[in-house]
Amino acid sequence: MSTARSPLSFRPGWRIAASIYTVAGVVCVLGSAAVPESDVGMLVAIAGGLPWSLGLLTLDLSPGVANTALLLLAGSWAVNAGLLWWLALRPRDSAFQGDASVPTSAAKRTR
């Protein structure tokens, strides 16, 4: 029985990264909503949402800006997490199958 992975297998490293980023994003955004006075929590939420969180620079200091900023941060984390999940769930390129001059284990068994 062959244990070789098919060329269209998914990338487990990207799945782990996407899972960690998604959980961290939920924690940071909910933490910023629960404790808005925390400077460190807000900085982590802003840094994790880059580059989309740079949109915070366009907000003026009017009433309700905190709610708008929180929505912008949640959206930036969601976009980044969506991109990571897209990378994680996208199948590997079928054109990339390694070096064609090196025989595979299946080709070695048929000789």
Side-chain angles (χ1 to χ4, degrees):
M1 185 157 117
S2 175
T3 60
R5 298 171 76 190
S6 70
L8 293 178
S9 63
F10 296 105
R11 300 172 171 103
W14 283 110
R15 284 185 178 202
I16 294 169
S19 298
I20 291 171
Y21 186 83
T22 302
V23 169
V26 168
V27 168
C28 284
V29 170
L30 290 179
S32 294
V35 187
E37 299 86 22
S38 172
D39 292 337
V40 174
M42 187 60 74
L43 288 175
V44 170
I46 291 170
L50 286 172
W52 318 110
S53 62
L54 290 174
L56 292 171
L57 297 172
T58 63
L59 298 177
D60 57 348
L61 295 176
S62 61
V65 72
N67 292 333
T68 305
L70 190 60
L71 286 175
L72 187 69
L73 283 176
S76 63
W77 276 86
V79 168
N80 286 345
L83 289 171
L84 274 173
W85 278 108
W86 176 76
L87 284 171
L89 298 177
R90 186 180 69 167
R92 293 181 189 231
D93 292 334
S94 60
F96 177 75
Q97 295 187 11
D99 191 3
S101 64
V102 177
T104 62
S105 60
K108 290 178 186 175
R109 284 194 300 266
T110 58
R111 289 186 185 167

